[in-house]
Amino acid sequence: MLEQLEQIYQEAQVSLAAAASSEALHEWESRTIGKKGAVTLLLRSTGQLPKEERAAFGKRANEVKELLDAAFAERETQIKEIELIRSLESGQVDITLPGRAHPVGGLHPSTQTLRELYHIWADMGFQVFRSRDVEDDDTNFTLLNIPEHHPARDMWDTFYTTTPGVILRTHTSPGQIRAMRELGENGTQPIRVILPGMCYRYEQITSRSEMQFHQLEGLVIGRNIRMSDLKGTITAFARRMFGAKAAVRFRASYFPFTEPSMEIDVECFLCGGQGCKVCKYAGWLEISGAGMVHPTVLRNGGYDPSVWSGFAFGMGPERMTMLKHRISDIRYFWGNDLRFLEQF
Ligand code: FA5
């Protein structure tokens, strides 16, 4: 049997070198090292040999099998190359055809705006403070100077959970309390942070209002922080975001957690204040709510309002993106329609 094995080995080497196509190669494989190939069958019949010959034969047969396996793999690579060259030469593959583009994902337009905002605020020394999406009623309202049954609660229609007192935050302002308590070291340290995140409101969805949207809150606490600091900071921001000549206007408004409170408009950068469809012919576009932090809120955050003061603002990244790209309907943002998303 050993002789037979050596003979098969010799012949297999010669016929492998002669195999010149994939078909011939696979025919060789099944004839030699395949399940019913000559080498495999010989290996299986080792048991028929006298006991003392089995070990030597088995060793050699395994060696031959390994050598032929390796030779087969090498020949297969050679033949694949030869066949590719042949098919290129015969013109079956047009190598001048452009390659197939692989689709690549992109950043969501809201993410792009948020990153632009982070960049601008970081340049002005603001750090990101991450607050929570699931809030308690106290932090979302009461500690922000909106006691239970206060009519101002109607400004924010709320999603309640089945756990009493646990809600989805309706705005990023509760993060003000958390930032003051976590970073303020019992009202002894100044703060300069932005608080980006998702907000949820049990609201009628319209082309301008979603029930889930981002806000970017800003909070500055220090000694001698004044309204002029708020105005200067927001104006510097608007010029970075909307162009060096952007004019900014501060309109008196009301929020329970700021006093005085205001809404901030930029001159419509599409029509230069002349009036157009986007600004509804007002010449101005609203970008943010803002104000000086209310003394009660400062106290709830651990600060003494006779020593410390601060300002806060809350802007809507989706509304800004809509203005920038003239998007007519906020529902496109979460519709997951690639025809929309691929435009950014
Ligand atoms: C507030 O939520 C205040 N917390 C903002 C604030 C912070 C004022 C700090 C003073 C100091 P308002 O409800 O106006 O305010 O929302 C702020 C911004 O969030 C809006 O200007 C708008 O851009 C965005 N926004 C509000 N509701 C929606 C909505 N349903 N869909 C999309 N964006 C919204």
Side-chain angles (χ1 to χ4, degrees):
M1 259 167 78
L2 197 57
E3 270 170 35
Q4 200 185 343
L5 175 70
E6 295 302 341
Q7 196 181 343
I8 290 172
Y9 180 42
Q10 295 304 326
E11 280 171 16
Q13 282 174 296
V14 176
S15 55
L16 182 63
S21 66
S22 296
E23 292 85 47
L25 193 68
H26 287 290
E27 198 263 323
W28 178 93
E29 185 189 17
S30 57
R31 196 159 26 91
T32 322
I33 52 173
K35 268 189 192 161
K36 291 185 181 162
V39 177
T40 319
L41 293 178
L42 263 186
L43 248 173
R44 275 202 211 126
S45 52
T46 311
Q48 295 166 12
L49 285 170
K51 242 186 178 174
E52 59 280 12
E53 288 176 29
R54 277 183 212 161
F57 176 79
K59 187 170 173 248
R60 178 61 185 155
N62 275 319
E63 232 171 60
V64 167
K65 172 86 170 47
E66 273 170 29
L67 288 167
L68 288 176
D69 279 344
F72 172 76
E74 193 183 327
R75 186 72 185 138
E76 194 178 33
T77 315
Q78 285 170 356
I79 285 180
K80 273 193 187 146
E81 268 173 34
I82 292 167
E83 287 183 340
L84 178 66
I85 291 167
R86 258 192 233 140
S87 89
L88 288 176
E89 282 171 355
S90 67
Q92 281 177 20
V93 176
D94 181 355
I95 55 169
T96 64
L97 274 177
R100 286 194 193 103
H102 291 283
V104 283
L107 290 177
H108 190 279
S110 294
T111 309
Q112 290 182 25
T113 303
L114 278 166
R115 289 196 180 179
E116 200 178 342
L117 294 173
Y118 299 157
H119 203 91
I120 296 172
W121 288 113
D123 282 352
M124 291 201 260
F126 284 74
Q127 292 191 331
V128 173
F129 181 88
R130 295 265 169 208
S131 193
R132 56 186 68 181
D133 285 33
V134 180
E135 258 303 352
D136 54 66
D137 189 278
D138 266 4
T139 319
N140 196 82
F141 293 120
T142 315
L143 296 173
L144 288 174
N145 199 29
I146 320 169
E148 222 172 318
H149 308 303
H150 191 284
R153 286 205 178 199
D154 292 347
M155 288 166 81
W156 295 279
D157 297 303
T158 311
F159 278 114
Y160 294 91
T161 67
T162 46
T163 311
V166 178
I167 61 166
L168 297 185
R169 68 173 167 197
T170 56
H171 51 167
T172 41
S173 299
Q176 288 186 30
I177 299 286
R178 296 198 180 274
M180 284 190 261
R181 289 184 173 180
E182 279 176 40
L183 306 175
E185 294 179 18
N186 295 322
T188 59
Q189 297 301 315
I191 291 178
R192 186 161 42 173
V193 289
I194 50 168
L195 306 96
M198 208 41 116
C199 303
Y200 310 84
R201 289 189 193 174
Y202 185 51
E203 265 187 15
Q204 179 69 43
I205 299 175
T206 67
S207 59
R208 276 179 64 74
S209 297
E210 256 291 358
M211 60 178 188
Q212 173 181 331
F213 55 94
H214 285 100
Q215 277 190 352
L216 186 129
E217 188 94 3
L219 176 69
V220 173
I221 305 283
R223 293 167 198 262
N224 300 318
I225 299 286
R226 297 159 193 206
M227 191 123 122
S228 52
D229 296 310
L230 164 59
K231 290 176 82 174
T233 309
I234 294 285
T235 306
F237 161 77
R239 291 190 177 150
R240 282 279 305 268
M241 187 76 189
F242 302 110
K245 291 191 182 136
V248 183
R249 157 174 108 166
F250 298 82
R251 236 176 337 106
S253 184
Y254 170 71
F255 294 103
F257 33 87
T258 46
E259 181 57 38
S261 302
M262 64 199 72
E263 236 136 7
I264 301 162
D265 302 335
V266 281
E267 196 175 51
C268 178
F269 42 89
L270 297 172
C271 63
Q274 298 301 304
C276 68
K277 240 173 125 179
V278 172
C279 62
K280 297 196 187 119
Y281 301 96
W284 296 91
L285 296 165
E286 185 201 312
I287 58 159
S288 185
M292 300 306 291
V293 180
H294 196 286
T296 305
V297 177
L298 278 172
R299 223 174 278 120
N300 290 338
Y303 287 87
D304 176 355
S306 65
V307 181
W308 297 86
S309 54
F311 67 78
F313 54 84
M315 35 188 64
E318 274 81 36
R319 295 253 177 97
M320 284 185 182
T321 314
M322 289 172 78
L323 294 174
K324 202 166 155 190
H325 297 291
R326 302 190 197 195
I327 299 165
S328 57
D329 198 316
I330 199 169
R331 284 168 285 205
Y332 288 126
F333 282 80
W334 316 119
N336 269 343
D337 188 335
L338 283 180
R339 288 170 304 178
F340 169 72
L341 296 171
E342 276 171 357
Q343 294 177 45
F344 302 94

